[in-house]
Amino acid sequence: MAKRGKSGGRNSRSPGAVDVAAAPAAKGSSGKGPVEGVYYIDTGDCELIADQDNSTGWLLKINGVMSSHIDLADPLFLDFEYMRWIAALIESRWPPSDVAGNGQKLRGLHLGGGACSLARYVAAAYPDARQVVVELDGKLAEYVRGWFDLPKAPLLRLRVGEARAVTETLTPDTRDFIIRDVFAGAFTPRPLTTAEFTAHARRVLAPGGLYVVNSGDAPDLKNAREDAATIAAAFKHTLIIADPAMLKGRRYGNMVMAGSDVPFGDDPQLARRLLGGAVPAHIWDDAQVRAFAANAPIRHDPPHPPEV
């Protein structure tokens, strides 16, 4: 359900601990970078398209759905609005200048890879950050490594695996932020939306960390309300970022939701930054999020069948 400017996401195989190195075969015959065309991947096909509005830009479609945009010349350029909102939220919690000044190394986990646009952004904004991107499709991960000259490990690791299975293996208190951007069609697979999975994510977060999700929905907002209810049940503090039309249920689209064990606070600079984009966005605070989710059920894993 990806659209340029406001939505996106990718499915994020079994949790085999496979880190993907650069893949020369993913490049064009010149060996100098991406080449337009359709490429077969483990889960179907992807298409690489040159951005007609940007000479250094590339669009990535996966199984016919727009997934990602990359500007080879500028890792700090994010074409999709929801990614800009997430970047703004992270920078509000950890201003890059402050992180550089105190020697802190942000530790990030991205569930869902695509072209690694947001991970690439974080690597540029926080040069000492350590990030892991979990991607279901191993062939896609190889292609992306070859096309887009991503930072190498330990700065950025691509791990082929299923997002929930990988998350469940991680050590507690080892990530400052977790971004869930995993889609199968228009919605995130249910196992990545339940209270049980959210508890795993919270366990992996360090104190003060951020759990951020890209929640796609139809105008009835049923999915978004359930996402919000489930996140609000797990975290003491929540917020939602979205454009007004989406908040009012006037269109299909995406909301960025976040949970944390510490308050988000009132950051006027964040509010101004969100209003200044091509698609101006509003922030709902914790009280508004809980009111929005008040009558929605919290999602749970299906019960295990009784042992015989």
Side-chain angles (χ1 to χ4, degrees):
M1 129 168 226
K3 296 179 182 178
R4 294 186 68 187
K6 61 177 74 174
S7 65
R10 264 295 299 139
N11 298 334
S12 173
R13 227 162 200 165
S14 92
V18 179
D19 291 336
V20 179
K27 299 184 179 181
S29 58
S30 66
K32 294 182 179 179
V35 173
E36 281 193 303
V38 175
Y39 299 80
Y40 291 108
I41 56 177
D42 293 338
T43 58
D45 62 65
C46 67
E47 183 178 4
L48 197 59
I49 306 166
D51 185 348
Q52 299 304 308
D53 300 320
N54 179 352
S55 62
T56 57
W58 291 89
L59 292 156
L60 179 67
K61 278 187 175 182
I62 300 173
N63 295 320
V65 177
M66 194 65 71
S67 167
S68 306
H69 178 278
I70 286 280
D71 186 333
L72 293 178
D74 184 5
L76 293 175
F77 176 79
L78 295 172
D79 193 55
F80 288 7
E81 285 291 345
Y82 86 91
M83 291 190 183
R84 297 182 196 178
W85 301 342
I86 294 174
L89 180 59
I90 291 173
E91 291 179 4
S92 176
R93 175 66 55 101
W94 299 285
S97 58
D98 292 352
V99 171
N102 65 24
Q104 181 181 3
K105 296 180 179 179
L106 281 187
R107 301 160 297 171
L109 175 67
H110 301 256
L111 304 178
C116 296
S117 307
L118 196 51
R120 187 170 172 263
Y121 178 100
V122 171
Y126 304 89
D128 293 325
R130 300 292 188 266
Q131 300 180 85
V132 175
V133 177
V134 181
E135 170 57 52
L136 178 67
D137 194 301
K139 190 64 178 177
L140 175 64
E142 290 180 6
Y143 279 142
V144 167
R145 266 283 186 215
W147 286 331
F148 301 130
D149 192 29
L150 301 174
K152 303 300 187 291
L155 297 179
L156 178 56
R157 293 173 50 208
L158 290 183
R159 181 168 175 175
V160 178
E162 190 276 318
R164 176 159 179 168
V166 171
T167 304
E168 291 177 355
T169 69
L170 299 178
T171 304
D173 302 336
T174 56
R175 300 295 187 276
D176 297 303
F177 65 84
I178 298 173
I179 299 172
R180 190 200 79 191
D181 192 10
V182 183
F183 282 80
F187 298 102
T188 300
R190 186 179 177 90
L192 295 174
T193 69
T194 66
E196 291 76 15
F197 171 75
T198 307
H200 285 298
R202 182 172 183 177
R203 174 186 59 81
V204 172
L205 283 173
L210 287 179
Y211 178 58
V212 187
V213 310
N214 177 20
S215 179
D217 208 356
D220 65 11
L221 299 181
K222 178 179 182 295
N223 182 69
R225 293 180 195 277
E226 292 183 6
D227 253 349
T230 305
I231 293 169
F235 291 95
K236 186 175 181 180
H237 305 280
T238 63
L239 63 71
I240 288 177
I241 300 172
D243 69 272
M246 187 67 200
L247 292 170
K248 294 176 182 178
R250 292 179 178 173
R251 65 171 182 82
Y252 290 83
N254 296 64
M255 295 184 181
V256 168
M257 302 183 182
S260 180
D261 62 354
V262 300
F264 287 95
D266 182 14
D267 183 355
Q269 185 174 349
L270 173 62
R272 287 194 296 269
R273 183 172 173 181
L274 295 173
L275 285 171
V279 181
H282 291 177
I283 304 173
W284 275 359
D285 62 19
D286 185 75
Q288 291 170 299
V289 175
R290 293 181 189 276
F292 173 70
N295 297 316
I298 297 169
R299 295 196 191 99
H300 286 280
D301 291 345
H304 294 290
E307 295 183 5
V308 178

